[in-house]
Amino acid sequence: KIQTHTMEDDAGAGKKAPKEKPPKQKKLSKKDKELALLLRSRTTVKVGDGEAVIIANKLGEFHRVLLTGTHLLIPFSDKVKLYLDKDGLIQSHINMTAVLPVQVTAVCKTQEGVELELQYRVEYRVRAPKEYVYGMERNCPVPIQEACMYALSTMVEKLSIKQFCESTTLLDRAQDEMQAELERRRVGIVLVKAQLIRVTPRGAEADRLARLLAAWNGQ
């Protein structure tokens, strides 16, 4: 049997098979569109250190404490709360376990009106992150120093110079007084240690008082 081959056959061989039309996609409802837009507009914040936390605000007010992990924040409404640390640096993370040192210098007056300059080395850590960030803004424009200075002044003004020199519980009392003032101001800080470094008399009789203090301390 003889097979015939025509030009029409060649033309048909070059044609491509028609494409199948993709199925029509379902239109999203208005609610679904808003949800998709919300999910796309979210940003993430990662808290990687197990010892640190972050404060998140919503519309300028406290929202929640962010622990270790990745968290979703909505732009414009959710923001990370920034704060100033004891060195005046802007921070976002709050370390909950670090013991932070700071020096406190307070000028106090005894019952007789004698001026004494007390220098303390204070060590503290953060106990409540929300109170720490917001409490420092409200009550301690100079972090921790102001509260400790006030506590020392209040304590010393109730003592005579003789009581001040002879008191064996002065260091313990000072730390307790400073802690009580911090709690009153609600700044979320707990004192770990308060060490008296130096006592310096001031005023017209500074030299005589310095000898007196040295004599009492030597007893």
Side-chain angles (χ1 to χ4, degrees), residues 38-39 41-58 63-75 78-81 92-93:
L38 179 64
L39 292 175
S41 66
R42 283 176 177 258
T43 57
T44 59
V45 172
K46 186 174 182 181
V47 185
D49 190 346
E51 299 177 348
V53 300
I54 287 178
I55 297 293
N57 279 0
K58 181 179 285 293
H63 179 42
R64 56 185 171 137
V65 177
L66 306 181
L67 305 177
T68 302
T70 302
H71 305 270
L72 296 175
L73 297 181
I74 302 174
D78 295 354
K79 290 184 179 180
V80 171
K81 174 66 177 176
S92 59
H93 287 66

Side-chain angles (χ1 to χ4, degrees), residues 176-216:
D176 291 342
E177 293 288 338
M178 286 188 277
Q179 183 62 56
E181 182 61 23
L182 289 169
E183 290 176 359
R184 188 185 71 82
R185 298 188 182 208
R186 301 186 66 182
V187 291
I189 287 175
V190 59
L191 293 185
V192 177
K193 184 180 180 181
Q195 179 183 1
L196 180 61
I197 300 173
R198 185 179 297 109
V199 179
T200 306
R202 298 178 58 172
E205 298 185 351
D207 292 338
R208 185 181 69 83
L209 289 172
R211 292 193 296 270
L212 187 61
L213 283 170
W216 268 323

Side-chain angles (χ1 to χ4, degrees), residues 85-87 101-106 120 122 124 136 139-152 178 181-182 185 189:
D85 66 6
K86 67 181 182 65
D87 298 317
V102 66
Q103 184 166 314
V104 175
T105 301
Y120 271 85
V122 175
Y124 69 95
M136 290 300 238
N139 304 315
C140 273
V142 180
I144 200 172
Q145 286 99 327
E146 183 181 333
C148 292
M149 288 164 58
Y150 178 83
L152 290 171
M178 286 188 277
E181 182 61 23
L182 289 169
R185 298 188 182 208
I189 287 175

Side-chain angles (χ1 to χ4, degrees), residues 28-159:
L28 294 175
S29 66
K30 183 179 179 181
K31 187 175 182 180
D32 290 338
K33 286 181 180 179
E34 290 176 353
L35 179 61
L37 180 62
L38 179 64
L39 292 175
R40 285 199 300 268
S41 66
R42 283 176 177 258
T43 57
T44 59
V45 172
K46 186 174 182 181
V47 185
D49 190 346
E51 299 177 348
V53 300
I54 287 178
I55 297 293
N57 279 0
K58 181 179 285 293
L59 300 176
E61 300 292 335
F62 171 77
H63 179 42
R64 56 185 171 137
V65 177
L66 306 181
L67 305 177
T68 302
T70 302
H71 305 270
L72 296 175
L73 297 181
I74 302 174
F76 308 112
S77 66
D78 295 354
K79 290 184 179 180
V80 171
K81 174 66 177 176
L82 302 178
Y83 70 98
L84 294 178
D85 66 6
K86 67 181 182 65
D87 298 317
L89 302 176
I90 299 176
Q91 302 287 353
S92 59
H93 287 66
I94 306 165
N95 195 312
M96 298 294 293
T97 59
V99 177
L100 306 173
V102 66
Q103 184 166 314
V104 175
T105 301
V107 177
C108 312
K109 287 186 178 181
T110 64
Q111 286 179 344
E112 302 91 344
V114 176
E115 283 192 356
L116 299 173
E117 182 180 280
L118 308 183
Q119 291 185 9
Y120 271 85
R121 175 185 168 85
V122 175
E123 296 180 357
Y124 69 95
R125 63 178 177 81
V126 179
R127 178 171 59 187
K130 177 185 174 183
E131 290 185 352
Y132 177 69
V133 171
Y134 293 96
M136 290 300 238
E137 287 183 350
R138 292 192 307 268
N139 304 315
C140 273
V142 180
I144 200 172
Q145 286 99 327
E146 183 181 333
C148 292
M149 288 164 58
Y150 178 83
L152 290 171
S153 298
T154 304
M155 179 188 71
V156 172
E157 70 182 9
K158 300 174 184 177
L159 302 173

